[in-house]
Amino acid sequence: MNKYSLAGGLYFLPVAVLVASCSLFEYHPFETRLKESEKHLNAKAIKRIQSLPVTDTLRFILTGDTQRFYDETEDFVASANQQNVHFVIVAGDITDFGLREEFEWVHHILSDLEPPYIALIGNHDLVGAGATVFKEMYGPTDFSFVSGGAKFICHNTNSLEYDFNGKIPDLEWLQSELASLSGDPDVDKAFMVAHVPPYHPDFDPALRNAYEDLMTSSGKVKLGLYAHEHAYNDTLMADNIRCIVTTTVQERFYVVVKVCQDFYGIELVHF
């Protein structure tokens, strides 16, 4: 059992560590306070990404659902560091129970990645006080950034956790992000990035058509990048927009996406 292990539904750390400092004892299981070094991680990663030299080929990793698969996540990091990629996208379900300790444990492992990593929120990350921890650690659940002439529109699609209230995903925000593409000559493509793919039952069925209409009407959305299903899938959405779903790290493989002008290559890497 490693220091991140679960047993009987409870988290266990070595006794010597538990008694070493009173600061480790918390008042309740939904503690959300973080160290300053653990805050605003996506903004820090985006700053690193945008400082990288511009090349004619963009390569990045798509993975997800690290949850409590800590050993597998460590092995993923070792493998990812062997790839020549610009950055890594972790497409949600960082944690299993939305606990601050889980966020910290996974970030501790992922911080050994040589390329910067971006994290999205998943349905498991919304359990308990998870949404509060995610926003403090990573930032907004809807955000975007540009790299290699592509706009990555990262957004929350965990509709079920909001009781299908008609607000998740935020179509108004997505429309604004896609509309801004028409005025930017340096960005000729967009990728939709989220946890739950639009065809999944956990995606608000009342919003699916409008969501896909936004993608197709922009004329610039080339890929949809998702996770959640714990299994790889490569299919087509409306207007033949390619939908790539990565698997959990527990399955010990991930997706490398290669973008070169209008060419999109997908490589599956096992570790």
Side-chain angles (χ1 to χ4, degrees):
M1 181 185 296
N2 64 30
K3 62 182 177 181
Y4 305 113
S5 296
L6 288 166
L10 297 175
Y11 292 84
F12 288 91
L13 291 171
V15 173
V17 174
L18 286 173
V19 300
S21 171
C22 291
S23 65
L24 290 177
F25 289 91
E26 298 171 353
Y27 296 105
H28 55 78
F30 300 129
E31 177 63 60
T32 61
R33 291 173 294 181
L34 296 169
K35 301 173 185 176
E36 283 301 316
S37 61
E38 297 171 334
K39 296 180 180 179
H40 315 300
L41 298 180
N42 279 344
K44 295 172 183 176
I46 291 170
K47 186 176 181 179
R48 285 183 60 194
I49 291 169
Q50 295 180 335
S51 69
L52 295 172
V54 177
T55 64
D56 60 0
T57 301
L58 176 67
R59 284 172 53 88
F60 61 91
I61 287 173
L62 177 68
T63 189
D65 299 271
T66 53
Q67 293 175 290
R68 44 181 162 153
F69 310 125
Y70 302 113
D71 291 337
E72 292 87 345
T73 302
E74 289 179 345
D75 293 342
F76 159 74
V77 168
S79 175
N81 283 340
Q82 302 301 311
Q83 304 296 323
N84 181 25
V85 297
H86 293 86
F87 54 87
V88 174
I89 296 176
V90 182
D93 276 3
I94 302 159
T95 69
D96 207 11
F97 303 108
L99 296 174
R100 188 200 69 182
E101 288 86 349
E102 292 181 285
F103 282 102
E104 291 178 324
W105 292 341
V106 174
H107 171 60
H108 177 73
I109 297 171
L110 294 178
S111 63
D112 285 335
L113 282 166
E114 294 175 4
Y117 83 91
I118 296 290
L120 282 76
I121 197 162
N123 56 301
H124 282 266
D125 304 319
L126 288 162
V127 175
T132 299
V133 180
F134 180 94
K135 290 175 183 177
E136 187 170 359
M137 176 173 274
Y138 292 104
T141 57
D142 293 338
F143 63 97
S144 65
F145 65 96
V146 174
S147 180
K151 186 171 188 177
F152 291 77
I153 303 176
C154 306
H155 54 290
N156 181 358
T157 57
N158 302 288
S159 310
L160 178 61
E161 276 55 50
Y162 296 85
D163 297 322
F164 299 123
N165 64 4
K167 298 179 180 180
I168 302 297
D170 186 338
L171 297 183
E172 184 176 346
W173 180 84
L174 289 171
Q175 184 176 27
S176 175
E177 289 292 305
L178 290 168
S180 69
L181 292 170
S182 61
D184 192 341
D186 296 325
V187 180
D188 61 358
K189 61 183 72 71
F191 303 147
M192 303 288 273
V193 192
H195 182 63
V196 180
Y199 59 78
H200 195 280
D202 292 348
F203 188 104
D204 193 335
L207 300 182
R208 176 178 176 178
N209 288 341
Y211 179 86
E212 293 194 357
D213 285 347
L214 282 175
M215 296 170 68
T216 58
S217 62
S218 76
K220 290 197 174 183
V221 175
K222 307 302 180 183
L223 292 174
L225 305 170
Y226 306 94
H228 187 56
E229 296 187 307
H230 290 215
Y232 175 73
N233 193 14
D234 184 349
T235 187
L236 294 178
M237 295 186 289
D239 202 30
N240 289 327
I241 295 173
R242 195 171 181 183
C243 175
I244 304 296
V245 178
T246 189
T247 187
T248 168
V249 296
Q250 186 186 32
E251 297 298 324
R252 291 188 172 274
F253 79 84
Y254 55 88
V255 176
V256 176
V257 182
K258 178 181 178 181
V259 181
C260 183
Q261 296 182 345
D262 290 330
F263 171 78
Y264 308 98
I266 304 298
E267 178 186 357
L268 304 183
V269 178
H270 295 258
F271 64 92

